[in-house]
Amino acid sequence: MTDKILVTGGAGYIGSHIVIELSAAGYAPLIVDDFSNSSPSVVPRLSEITGHDVPCVTGDIRDRRLLAGTLSEHAVAAVVHCAGLKAVGESESRPLAYYDSNIGGTIALAEAMADAGVKTIVFSSSATVYGQAGSNPIAEDAPLMPESVYGRTKLMIEQLLRDLARSDPAWRVALLRYFNPAGAHASGRIGEAPSATPNNLMPILAQVGAGKLPEIAVFGSDWPTPDGTGVRDYIHVVDLAEAHVAALAHLQRAAGVTTLNLGTSRGYSVLEAIAAFERACSKPITRRMAPRRAGDVAICVADASAARVTLGWVARRGLDAMCADAWRWQLHRDA
Ligand code: NAD
Ligand code: WQD
């Protein structure tokens, strides 16, 4: 029988791409999402792309009754947990909202899963758990010192899931630390669609390219990097989604907790990313050098070798593909 996989936050940017790759791998994904940062219009697009009906339960993962009903009604085999709040700056001004949604949501989900006997979970963690890493590339055993409320919620959820797995060996947990997800599905039908003005580099570049924003402010040109601008490990969202399929397969073989970085092991500067976006959209991107942004680091690049060894997975798509796909999505997103 086809395994049913519940994707919390499956209408969001990363979750929607995971739904597509799960379906392509022969799983039957279903979604729980409250659409607080996504649109219901994503769901029919997912059915159209996958060629299968993608069931979607509208609601909040903190609603225990809703979760219990969903897990039993659909006989879910495992959960990919993407739902949560993710804006670093907002987490500082609304800490309780972040603790409530991210941690409260995960507790409600884990309780409902335990009650239903569903004990396999893949969690969307983040490289932000490393904070100001001492050296790059960053391996999974680097010190964990998140610098924001958002980052602390991610680390607390990792700890919560580790404690759960220690208490009951039936749990199988993958903690996947994403570096900088970028790009969109090649169809141009789904992509990143934040409700508010974007804070991240790639969606801002797309909006500057489209004339919706006048320019990109480059946050710092005096970092200790080759061109003075910040260096990040951008990873194509489809590569990221494929890693979740590999993680679920791994959890069928491995009990306990598996913690992995998901990145490319290759860094690009802000200026290199702007140049790549200019190639993708065939237009100049207006930029303005600006002071450093609070909380930023010079370089954040994954050591992704553990994911290669453990999952047999590597990111295959490069920065040009990320920009080309993000631009296609920007052009077609309202169609
Ligand atoms: P997103 O906001 O596009 O997706 C999150 C989805 O969860 C949205 O559809 C939203 O409506 C839903 N949601 C939020 N709170 C909910 C709740 N309480 N109940 C039900 N649904 C809820 O974000 P994304 O970029 O797709 O990120 C997915 C996950 O990956 C998040 O947990 C995020 O912290 C993590 N992550 C993202 C990045 C990134 O740069 N995008 C990097 C590292 C980790
Ligand atoms: C990338 C680079 C900026 C905007 C964030 C979160 C992290 C994770 C991924 C969730 C940096 C520069 C950006 C702009 C710029 N998310 N930049 N002008 O900060 O590496 O990571 O998203 O878990 O937790 O912190 O990503 O895209 O914001 O920035 O110069 O207008 O682009 O300084 O060097 P970041 P980003």
Side-chain angles (χ1 to χ4, degrees), residues 117-144:
V118 180
K119 296 187 176 176
T120 300
I121 184 167
V122 177
F123 171 59
S124 298
S125 190
S126 169
T128 201
V129 296
Y130 296 115
Q132 303 272 350
S135 63
N136 276 276
I138 304 170
E140 288 82 355
D141 60 358
L144 302 174

Side-chain angles (χ1 to χ4, degrees), residues 99-122:
Y99 285 111
D100 188 17
S101 181
N102 292 1
I103 296 175
T106 305
I107 292 172
L109 174 66
E111 280 178 351
M113 288 175 67
D115 288 347
V118 180
K119 296 187 176 176
T120 300
I121 184 167
V122 177

Side-chain angles (χ1 to χ4, degrees), residues 86 88 125-128 150 154 178-181 199-202 204 216-220 223 229-232 234 270 293 296-298 300:
K86 64 162 184 175
V88 174
S125 190
S126 169
T128 201
Y150 166 69
K154 288 288 170 189
Y178 310 161
F179 277 65
N180 286 63
N199 302 306
N200 294 115
L201 182 64
M202 280 291 167
I204 292 174
I216 174 96
V218 178
F219 295 143
W223 293 103
T229 66
V231 169
R232 296 291 182 275
Y234 299 96
V270 176
R293 180 173 65 176
D296 268 356
V297 296
C300 182

